[in-house]
Amino acid sequence: MGASKSDSFSVEHNEMASLFKALSHPARIAIVDYLLTVDTCICGDIVNELPLAQPTISQHLKELKNANIIKGTIEGTAICYCINPDTIDKIENHFGVIRHKLKNKCC
Amino acid sequence: MGASKSDSFSVEHNEMASLFKALSHPARIAIVDYLLTVDTCICGDIVNELPLAQPTISQHLKELKNANIIKGTIEGTAICYCINPDTIDKIENHFGVIRHKLKNKCC
DNA sequence: TTTATATATCGTAATATTGCAATATATAAA
DNA sequence: TTTATATATTGCAATATTACGATATATAAA
């Protein structure tokens, strides 16, 4: 085997797992962090910020985009990336539910 | 290649990535969800709840334990698993910081 | 049109993850 | 001690991820 049995789980569980998978690599955490640090959304220099080759960064950006964690809009030759607040909401909400359920627990 | 270049990233970025990696599989999301659903922490029946073989579940539980997302204490022959609220705090705090930074952004 | 710059895609090697059968371990009950 | 029950570990095959060189694409400037 090796493929995860995603068909066996609920849509919601799969959705949350996909979101977390997109955030499960330090380079992608660093990208999100960097996008939040710079003042504007015009971010053509992610490649210079991280110790990875350009194709590798492009691949990580694609995964973040596919997971709807970031959005990219074309600005001339560069691409402007920024965080998608809706997805952050979704994740925060997930932990809000966990927090709420934890309140009624023995530990 | 294939191994992620974790040495090249900050300890904090690696830590957050590890937490998300532990949550990046639908079975592990389902386990956390189930632990929050049952009334008590005595949870010997996770195997019956999920469509996976016992060794597979054991492996997923181990990953959640290694990431400090769940704790397990021995209760006779069974093991009592429950969520570690401290780790939930850590993740919520991470998104709190993101949320705060997003407030000062253009998009 | 040519050149420069920014990003994406392809192909591929190295490594990691997933899932499970078989087996081991450990405690409780008989 | 023997048997039953619960969980962990081992070993391995199938698949996924990571990283990057080479190359493609696309827009801007010269």
Side-chain angles (χ1 to χ4, degrees):
Chain A
M1 312 282 155
S4 92
K5 297 174 73 176
S6 35
D7 290 352
S8 312
F9 300 99
S10 74
V11 173
E12 210 212 308
H13 287 167
N14 274 295
E15 271 181 9
M16 290 313 301
S18 293
L19 281 180
F20 292 130
K21 184 175 239 170
L23 294 171
S24 73
H25 192 287
R28 295 195 289 270
I29 298 283
I31 288 171
V32 169
D33 211 25
Y34 179 63
L35 287 181
L36 289 165
T37 300
V38 291
D39 282 347
T40 69
C41 279
I42 296 109
C43 325
D45 49 350
I46 300 174
V47 173
N48 304 317
E49 283 294 318
L50 296 182
L52 294 172
Q54 180 269 323
T56 308
I57 304 237
S58 187
Q59 200 172 278
H60 284 306
L61 287 168
K62 193 182 181 181
E63 282 173 70
L64 288 170
K65 255 187 296 179
N66 288 343
N68 273 309
I69 290 168
I70 63 175
K71 298 182 278 193
T73 41
I74 297 166
E75 299 256 336
T77 56
I79 291 188
C80 153
Y81 284 111
C82 50
I83 306 290
N84 183 350
D86 294 345
T87 305
I88 303 297
D89 282 348
K90 206 171 188 173
I91 300 174
E92 278 190 306
N93 185 60
H94 181 80
F95 284 101
V97 171
I98 290 181
R99 166 72 46 213
H100 181 259
K101 286 185 179 172
L102 267 179
K103 289 224 172 91
N104 310 317
K105 308 275 315 165
C106 53
C107 54
Chain B
M1 311 282 154
S4 93
K5 298 173 74 174
S6 36
D7 290 352
S8 312
F9 300 99
S10 74
V11 173
E12 210 212 307
H13 287 168
N14 274 294
E15 270 180 11
M16 290 312 302
S18 293
L19 281 180
F20 292 131
K21 185 177 240 170
L23 295 171
S24 73
H25 192 287
R28 295 195 289 270
I29 297 284
I31 288 171
V32 169
D33 210 25
Y34 179 64
L35 287 181
L36 289 165
T37 300
V38 291
D39 282 347
T40 70
C41 278
I42 297 108
C43 325
D45 48 350
I46 299 174
V47 172
N48 303 317
E49 283 294 316
L50 296 181
L52 294 171
Q54 181 269 323
T56 309
I57 305 240
S58 187
Q59 198 172 281
H60 284 306
L61 287 168
K62 192 180 181 182
E63 282 174 70
L64 288 170
K65 255 188 296 181
N66 287 343
N68 274 310
I69 290 169
I70 64 174
K71 299 182 278 194
T73 41
I74 296 165
E75 298 254 337
T77 57
I79 292 187
C80 154
Y81 284 110
C82 50
I83 306 290
N84 184 348
D86 294 345
T87 305
I88 303 298
D89 282 347
K90 205 170 188 174
I91 301 175
E92 277 190 307
N93 185 60
H94 181 81
F95 284 102
V97 172
I98 290 181
R99 165 72 46 214
H100 181 260
K101 286 184 179 172
L102 267 179
K103 289 224 171 93
N104 310 316
K105 308 275 314 163
C106 53
C107 51

